[in-house]
Amino acid sequence: MSDDCFRPAADVAADVRAGTLSPVTLLDQYLDRIDERGDRTNAFVTVLADEARERAREVETAVERGDDPGPLAGVPVAIKDLGYTKTGVRHTYGMAPFADNVADRTTVAVERLESAGAVVVGTTNTPELGHTVRTDNELVGPTATPFDPERNAGGSSGGSAAAVADGLCALATGSDVGGSLRTPASCCGVVSVKPSFGVVPRDARPDAFRTHTPFGVLGPMARTVEDVALAMDVLAGPADADPYSVPRPDDESYTTATERDAADLDVGYSPDLDRFAVDPAVRDTVGDAVSDLADAGATVESVAVGGPEKGELVAAYGTQATTLFATLVRELNEAHGMDLLDDHADDLRSSFAQTVRMGRGYDALDYTTADTVRTRLYDAVEETLDGYDALVCPALATPPLAHDEPLPTEVDGESVAGLPMDWTLSWPFNLTGHPVVTVPAGLVDGLPVGMQVVAGRYDERSALAVASVVERVRPWREDYPGLDE
């Protein structure tokens, strides 16, 4: 293993700016590692070796001139092959029919990363349009967690999570409509931020207004809490191209929030959000992390989460999420003059076609009626958070699943429906819009288990503060299986 591939992004950027680390040398270390280990996880769709080398040379030249390339100077970054585009780079949406599609614009998030000095090394794998909780498709196949090549990295930002966890990039981007940042972060033992709606601009086109039902957001992944906070400092802030983007408070950086003392934090804990069956080993691992959080000085109390019953929430989320995917397919059909499901059925997973057809079956009244259910959940989460900096709970009901393993139909002796919404505890917070930081809580039989840290709307800083304390008391940097290879 190269000496730098598992170093924090903040550290290597500081060395690049100081002139003590060549961004070209750093990039070559990462590209060599991608060549050596890339097949193990299958994290990338496209590796941009030539473009990345040109960009790294630009950063090096800026440093030699005495210029500051930015807070991410020379940091190798991977971008999800969905929701992020770079002009002239293949953009497939995770779909074989778009294997040769090339982006004609660079999205705001990518522009901001590059303006901060980052070097884009490639695009990462995702299921078709990010529609499900495992990363697999007919284009490049499944992406594995580095902790076990037989187990999936989770979806839909699985390629990004696997690349970060295996030292193939220092930072990566993802998107999240129902847990697509948090599920792979849990499966791969990395940190992710699902921001509040509008904090990280999402310049969706042709419909800039579609991402609010359910709340779909963009966010970063990294191996340390400080690194995702640094990425948020770069990504957050309003953009004219996003009508939902919000101003950012100018009183504190996200990075500064990671310095808060544990004794200043009040945390509520729910082992199951009062709705989910959770594997005892997962429950115990997250519970141990919560106990360590309390031992570090935080005030931790058990809390209840009220609101609608799980079945009602599943119906509301299913209505809005499947309608969103049906809308995305309609946009692609119109833009490319095709009927994706009819013309390319053999090139798409059956789960994708099923999701789209479900979405086509709802009408506008179904779509808006679901918002009353969301409102009741929002009020309940707000009530739970009252008096606390954050609510913590598991991210998934079990450890990572094998690539072809069916979703569980029984968890801890309780029968469940075998739906993604049974396995993930993440999607309720896409209905409410609360920010969530996911951090590794520990290992179960050598497999990572993630913990969600949920904070009040637009209070990502409190979630980052709690996550940072967890990192201090339960460090995971030595857990990555490729660290010494």
Side-chain angles (χ1 to χ4, degrees), residues 255-332:
T255 306
T256 302
T258 65
E259 301 168 1
R260 282 179 63 180
D261 189 86
D264 294 334
L265 298 170
D266 296 296
V267 178
Y269 167 53
S270 172
D272 54 13
L273 297 179
D274 294 291
R275 291 171 176 84
F276 293 87
V278 177
D279 184 280
V282 170
R283 184 189 293 259
D284 290 347
T285 301
V286 173
D288 288 345
V290 171
S291 295
D292 287 348
L293 186 62
D295 290 343
T299 298
V300 179
E301 298 175 342
S302 295
V303 297
V305 183
E309 295 296 322
K310 181 184 172 188
E312 194 174 3
L313 290 174
V314 168
Y317 178 78
T319 298
Q320 295 191 335
T322 59
T323 301
L324 171 62
F325 289 115
T327 300
L328 294 171
V329 168
R330 184 202 67 206
E331 291 175 0
L332 287 173

Side-chain angles (χ1 to χ4, degrees), residues 76 78 272 323 374 378 411 459:
D272 54 13
T323 301
R374 294 175 70 176
Y378 172 81
V411 178
D459 191 16

